[in-house]
Amino acid sequence: MERIEEVLEKLQNYINGQFCPPIANSYIDNFEPATGQVYSLIPDSDEQDVLQAVEAAEKAFPVWSSMTNEERSQILVRVSEGIQKRLDEFAHAESRDNGKPLSLATKVDIPRAVSNFHFFATAILHYASESHRMEGMGFNYTTRKPIGIVGCISPWNLPLYLFSWKIAPALAAGNCVIAKPSEVTPYTAYLLGQVLDEAGMPPGVLNIIHGSGMKAGDAIVKHPKVKAISFTGGTKTGAYIAQTAAPMFKKLSLELGGKNPNIIFDDCDFDSMLSTTMLSSFANQGQICLCGSRIFIQTGIYEKFRDAFVQKVDRIKVSHPDDPETKMGALVSKEHLQKVLSYIELAQEEGGKILSGGTPVQLPAPYDQGYYLRPTVIEGLDFQCRTNQEEIFGPVVTLTPFESEEEVLKMANSTQYGLSCTIWTENLKKAHRVADQVEAGIVWINSWLVRDLRTPFGGVKASGVGREGGWEALRFFTEAKNIFVKS
Ligand code: NAD
């Protein structure tokens, strides 16, 4: 069927406080994962649009950076309230754009974007500078100033949640921002522009550029006046960005991929572990960088866990995002569904046995072209095979038995990644011991995805460079200057 472009909504960039079309007037299709249909068009921005945004940010910086923390805080609180007021609209947009259940967008994604703005709006009011006295000599005091213009680039899995997680501290610290959401899920970032107007954000302070990574994203990273890049996305993209930005001496924060272990000891609270493991495996269709995709189970409870887990997984309702009973919606794109399916095929070639799922789900029209996949559980794989080493980033988990702490640590630490880890045991000494030795930036003991926005967030090894969250983010988005005064 021929597409009639005129009826599709055209999203716009938000530059200098104005919505504007891309200068080259070129657009990218935006697909609705639930139906597989194009439902809007996204600006295919390039370096000309980025240039305009940088010019606007340059003009806005002296005003924004010289406001008091109190004044900036008030504007950011209003942004937070503006999203809260339109929560339903944002949640519907997020769910439609991403394929996630509407209930998840309503309960998690959008409230978290509200909290991100509110948290950093108030955090700057409590940010104190340091002073170090040198007895008999004088004292040092350290000021922290905004960097200037910074770039924030985010992925598609938690669109507004992760977009705001970067933008809010960057703005709170006094920077002007050129931000690019994922071209796969641009809609809520587009809506954010409307909220900025209402909140009284001065023009040019936050500029939102839509488009592809290789064109718009690359232009942000390469622009010499963009002094820092905060990026969340894949490890390969992170490496490419680092290669470009490092010789220009840009500050870099990279939040990258993961292949997180979920370590379950015999002596865990079985029921609590089982219900949380369902979430840590399949929440958001398994498309959370913190999902535990490698489940290691101590041999004493391996069969008990496997049988109970598979029974529950078999009952997960995969349906369209608006169905209130939906536990898993659509994967984000056709390409991503194909990638995940190719890993399921690979797992079988590598000797894995599929215990549940493994196949796409066919829903009735109008959802018959949507990207649905059954949650998939695989056992019988070596911990070193590709399925167990490479990030799949979908609703696919592997089960691997282990005997001892030493053995599970060797397997858990065997990948190039080191983002997060979950540990299940009632023996706290053991939990601390394993937490201490596991190679990860974030560890949850007897829980998963409990987030305190004050804590450092990020990974080790190929999972990233630097930390977000709390003071870490405010430190990243500022430059320290130490001043010594002789007494
Ligand atoms: P991606 O790397 O393809 O894209 C992320 C963003 O970078 C998008 O906005 C994209 O347009 C942009 N981009 C792509 N190429 C670019 C380039 N050359 N220069 C500048 N920008 C570019 O990642 P994705 O597929 O959107 O997201 C999935 C990945 O994100 C997974 O690997 C997942 O683990 C990771 N992730 C990590 C975290 C974390 O906190 N560590 C959180 C969420 C997702």
Side-chain angles (χ1 to χ4, degrees):
M1 202 175 71
E2 207 172 302
R3 201 180 69 214
I4 307 161
E5 290 224 341
E6 288 69 46
V7 301
L8 293 175
E9 184 185 10
K10 282 183 174 162
L11 273 56
Q12 297 197 311
N13 290 328
Y14 184 77
I15 299 175
N16 203 23
Q18 304 281 330
F19 284 101
C20 47
I23 293 169
N25 203 28
S26 163
Y27 288 85
I28 308 170
D29 289 344
N30 189 21
F31 287 85
E32 178 179 15
T35 61
Q37 305 302 313
V38 177
Y39 82 103
S40 58
L41 298 172
I42 313 158
D44 185 12
S45 310
D46 58 25
E47 69 275 5
Q48 304 177 78
D49 304 282
V50 171
L51 189 65
Q52 252 189 13
V54 171
E55 281 168 7
E58 226 181 344
K59 276 202 207 110
F61 182 67
V63 178
W64 184 245
S65 59
S66 58
M67 274 186 186
T68 62
N69 284 348
E70 189 79 47
E71 286 167 327
R72 278 202 303 275
S73 172
Q74 282 169 6
I75 294 174
L76 292 171
V77 166
R78 288 203 293 272
V79 173
S80 162
E81 290 168 350
I83 303 171
Q84 175 68 43
K85 261 191 238 151
R86 296 166 67 168
L87 193 142
D88 284 347
E89 184 188 355
F90 270 91
H92 273 97
E94 199 71 296
S95 159
R96 186 170 193 200
D97 223 19
N98 174 278
K100 66 177 73 204
L102 176 60
S103 56
L104 188 68
T106 307
K107 283 193 212 116
V108 178
D109 289 76
I110 307 306
R112 177 56 194 276
V114 170
S115 305
N116 287 342
F117 277 107
H118 196 268
F119 176 82
F120 285 107
T122 50
I124 39 159
L125 302 177
H126 305 275
Y127 200 48
S129 55
E130 289 173 10
S131 151
H132 299 89
R133 187 162 165 249
M134 299 173 78
E135 276 163 35
M137 292 177 72
F139 68 96
N140 300 275
Y141 66 93
T142 312
T143 60
R144 288 206 159 257
K145 294 198 160 184
I147 300 169
I149 304 173
V150 301
C152 295
I153 301 176
S154 58
W156 49 255
N157 63 325
L158 302 166
L160 193 65
Y161 176 135
L162 291 176
F163 196 57
S164 54
W165 182 231
K166 297 183 175 308
I167 290 168
L171 294 173
N175 300 285
C176 289
V177 176
I178 317 294
K180 194 193 89 59
S182 169
E183 63 274 35
V184 186
T185 53
Y187 208 98
T188 46
Y190 172 60
L191 287 181
L192 180 64
Q194 298 171 8
V195 171
L196 297 178
D197 268 358
E198 292 154 13
M201 179 72 78
V205 171
L206 173 56
N207 303 280
I208 301 170
I209 301 279
H210 295 277
S212 74
M214 280 315 286
K215 229 195 247 182
D218 199 44
I220 296 172
V221 175
K222 284 187 175 150
H223 198 293
K225 288 188 176 156
V226 176
K227 298 293 181 199
I229 300 291
S230 173
F231 168 80
T232 299
T235 292
K236 266 198 193 142
T237 318
Y240 178 83
I241 288 176
Q243 230 173 20
T244 312
M248 298 172 87
F249 306 110
K250 297 190 182 207
K251 265 185 123 174
L252 268 180
S253 166
L254 302 172
E255 297 294 338
L256 310 176
K259 188 76 181 173
N260 310 310
N262 177 2
I263 301 174
I264 302 170
F265 285 98
D266 286 348
D267 60 358
C268 66
D269 173 340
F270 191 86
D271 292 342
S272 166
M273 174 279 294
L274 187 63
S275 55
T276 305
T277 295
M278 293 295 291
L279 291 175
S280 66
S281 303
F282 303 119
N284 204 40
Q285 297 70 247
Q287 303 166 140
I288 302 181
C289 54
L290 306 162
C291 278
S293 54
R294 293 179 297 149
I295 309 180
F296 297 104
I297 311 106
Q298 206 163 17
T299 43
I301 57 164
Y302 182 82
E303 276 90 18
K304 179 181 171 190
F305 170 81
R306 181 191 59 199
D307 297 348
F309 186 63
V310 167
Q311 204 182 52
K312 272 183 169 293
V313 175
D314 283 342
R315 291 203 303 260
I316 288 181
K317 179 159 186 192
V318 179
S319 184
H320 63 86
D322 290 342
D323 178 345
E325 306 279 294
T326 299
K327 291 287 176 264
M328 267 182 50
L331 269 64
V332 77
S333 67
K334 194 170 186 177
E335 296 71 34
H336 192 57
L337 172 64
Q338 275 157 1
K339 176 192 151 182
V340 176
L341 282 169
S342 77
Y343 270 105
I344 294 172
E345 215 177 292
L346 173 72
Q348 288 166 291
E349 283 162 24
E350 290 183 321
K353 179 177 167 203
I354 297 188
L355 301 176
S356 183
T359 50
V361 178
Q362 187 64 48
L363 294 185
Y367 305 105
D368 50 331
Q369 302 296 311
Y371 319 131
Y372 302 95
L373 177 66
R374 280 226 56 83
T376 301
V377 184
I378 305 169
E379 74 168 354
L381 288 167
D382 185 86
F383 75 96
Q384 284 172 311
C385 72
R386 280 184 55 206
T387 310
N388 268 328
Q389 292 289 316
E390 296 175 16
E391 186 184 43
I392 301 174
F393 209 54
V396 179
V397 295
T398 61
L399 309 188
T400 308
F402 71 90
E403 298 277 350
S404 65
E405 265 175 65
E406 197 189 11
E407 185 194 5
V408 79
L409 275 165
K410 181 177 160 200
M411 296 196 284
N413 290 339
S414 67
T415 74
Q416 64 162 330
Y417 297 107
L419 188 53
S420 71
C421 170
T422 304
I423 300 167
W424 290 95
T425 171
E426 290 295 281
N427 178 337
L428 260 190
K429 271 193 185 164
K430 180 162 67 185
H432 289 307
R433 214 165 42 230
V434 175
D436 186 55
Q437 290 175 66
V438 78
E439 293 166 359
I442 305 155
V443 179
W444 283 288
I445 295 171
N446 298 330
S447 58
W448 177 71
L449 204 51
V450 178
R451 292 283 298 121
D452 178 331
L453 305 190
R454 294 169 299 182
T455 58
F457 179 90
V460 299
K461 305 198 284 187
S463 287
V465 176
R467 293 291 181 274
E468 297 187 314
W471 300 142
E472 299 275 350
L474 290 174
R475 276 193 210 103
F476 174 76
F477 284 116
T478 50
E479 286 286 11
K481 182 186 280 179
N482 191 68
I483 299 162
F484 173 74
V485 188
K486 193 168 181 291
S487 59

